[in-house]
Amino acid sequence: MKTRIMFAALLALGALIVAFAQDGSPTSVTAMESEEYGSYLTDADGRTLYLFINEEMESSDPERMTEGVRSNAVSCTGGCLEAWPPITAPVEAGEGIDEELLYTAEFDGMEMAVYNGWPLYYFARDTEPGQINGQGRGQAPTIWYIVSPEGHPVEEGG
């Protein structure tokens, strides 16, 4: 019973994050420093941002992007979106962010925030600023990672 209540609370938090992201005001993307991982992307409130990658597909070359999204970016749909809400609002570059790498693009039918070809997501279990509970989640070959200010997955500690 306790697990169901916690899960329901997490789903409500995910819906709340999506609601904030969709209110039309720009989401500021900034960089934060972690002792374990080094520098990584967050929003202005310090909530960690993630990418979803298929590690079996090679796409380190930005020229391989289709309409602004990398070919090895994995789509999060259906129930996945409750645990991993995307940033769908307009975005702006904050401190430590290369504004040329930050833009919006259509991905899986949604206009999403993208950084260096990676659609950006929150993790609903990150309930406080600075938490990185989603790092490395998933099963190979599809894994969630935090994003470096250079626009790459942070696969290991900094």
Side-chain angles (χ1 to χ4, degrees):
M1 182 69 169
K2 204 176 210 182
T3 304
R4 285 186 186 163
I5 293 170
M6 183 174 231
F7 184 69
L10 287 172
L11 290 179
L13 176 64
L16 183 61
I17 289 171
V18 171
F20 280 128
Q22 293 177 341
D23 73 359
S25 61
T27 298
S28 182
V29 176
T30 188
M32 183 178 270
E33 196 71 28
S34 160
E35 203 171 288
E36 184 176 357
Y37 297 108
S39 192
Y40 65 98
L41 300 187
T42 69
D43 68 8
D45 295 325
R47 293 178 297 182
T48 302
L49 303 179
Y50 297 88
L51 59 80
F52 195 27
I53 185 173
N54 182 334
E55 294 181 323
E56 289 183 349
M57 298 174 66
E58 292 295 322
S59 180
S60 60
D61 181 3
E63 295 299 317
R64 289 194 56 201
M65 286 189 253
T66 303
E67 297 184 32
V69 177
R70 292 179 180 273
S71 61
N72 59 338
V74 179
S75 176
C76 180
T77 60
C80 174
L81 292 172
E82 293 172 5
W84 300 92
I87 299 177
T88 57
V91 288
E92 60 188 16
E95 179 131 0
I97 300 302
D98 183 341
E99 65 182 45
E100 291 183 17
L101 296 180
L102 182 65
Y103 51 91
T104 59
E106 186 174 325
F107 185 62
D108 218 29
M110 291 183 280
E111 192 70 22
M112 293 180 59
V114 176
Y115 195 75
N116 194 32
W118 301 108
L120 298 175
Y121 297 87
Y122 293 108
F123 182 47
R125 291 189 184 172
D126 287 343
T127 58
E128 295 180 24
Q131 288 185 330
I132 308 175
N133 296 317
Q135 176 69 358
R137 288 194 175 261
Q139 293 185 329
T142 54
I143 308 289
W144 292 93
Y145 292 111
I146 58 176
V147 187
S148 75
E150 294 77 31
H152 305 292
V154 177
E155 296 182 24
E156 296 180 18

